[in-house]
Amino acid sequence: MSSLLHAVRSVVAPFTRTRFFRSVGPVVLPPAERALAWCSGGRLQISALLVPSLVLHTRGARSGKPRDTYLMYTPDGPGRAIVAGSAFAQDRHPAWTYNLLAHPDASISVSGRHIPVHATLVEDGERDAIWGQIERQWPGYRGYERTSGREVRLFRLERPQRA
């Protein structure tokens, strides 16, 4: 099954880097994800058909209001995940990255399961290794960084340490 999934990703991934997808994706995918989540009680995501996906629950950087964002993630060991602020290769950082910088204690939902997390911005020395992990999952994903003309923010999400 994993070789089939890898083959499908290899075929679909180049399409996601096209100008067409980068212009249509941000408009079509978020409402479609919300609709499917509503219909499935939060257990299904469109993106989860190809890659591990989660819902990131943050507080607005300025407003403090609750915000939900549907994201692909890359597993990073037990209880840890990496998310990339690619924003479909747009030239600005997505709002959720500002939210995590302002309020790093957040939560995620994976397959309908709610998990508290703490977000840490990935340091420069780790970026290449982290991009390698991400690209093993989704070939060519770092191309979004090159196309956007900005350094994509990468965050490690992990369960808070218990005292």
Side-chain angles (χ1 to χ4, degrees):
M1 179 65 172
S2 87
S3 60
L4 174 61
L5 187 55
H6 182 73
V8 171
R9 287 177 185 165
S10 296
V11 170
V12 174
F15 171 70
T16 65
R17 292 187 301 275
T18 64
R19 183 171 287 143
F20 173 78
F21 181 81
R22 291 191 323 259
S23 64
V24 172
V27 176
V28 173
L29 286 178
E33 289 281 20
R34 285 190 295 275
L36 182 59
W38 181 81
C39 292
S40 70
R43 290 182 305 276
L44 297 176
Q45 286 179 248
I46 295 168
S47 55
L49 298 173
L50 291 175
V51 292
S53 299
L54 56 78
V55 182
L56 175 65
H57 308 286
T58 60
R59 288 187 294 135
R62 289 184 298 202
S63 72
K65 293 181 181 177
R67 304 287 186 219
D68 294 340
T69 307
Y70 295 81
L71 299 170
M72 170 186 112
Y73 75 92
T74 300
D76 186 43
R80 296 185 349 179
I82 300 292
V83 290
S86 61
F88 296 92
Q90 294 175 11
D91 62 358
R92 59 181 163 62
H93 295 290
W96 65 263
T97 67
Y98 294 99
N99 297 347
L100 284 181
L101 291 171
H103 307 287
D105 291 317
S107 63
I108 58 174
S109 294
V110 179
S111 301
R113 202 167 125 234
H114 199 79
I115 304 163
V117 295
H118 181 79
T120 307
L121 190 63
V122 171
E123 300 290 329
D124 288 343
E126 289 185 280
R127 289 180 57 80
D128 285 337
I130 295 297
W131 273 118
Q133 285 178 249
I134 294 169
E135 287 202 307
R136 279 189 292 283
Q137 175 178 286
W138 194 255
Y141 195 66
R142 193 170 191 176
Y144 276 4
E145 185 171 65
R146 289 184 285 279
T147 302
S148 72
R150 63 180 168 82
E151 185 175 273
V152 167
R153 291 175 178 157
L154 303 174
F155 289 90
R156 178 175 283 119
L157 307 176
E158 56 189 312
R159 292 175 186 255
Q161 301 298 319
R162 294 187 182 179

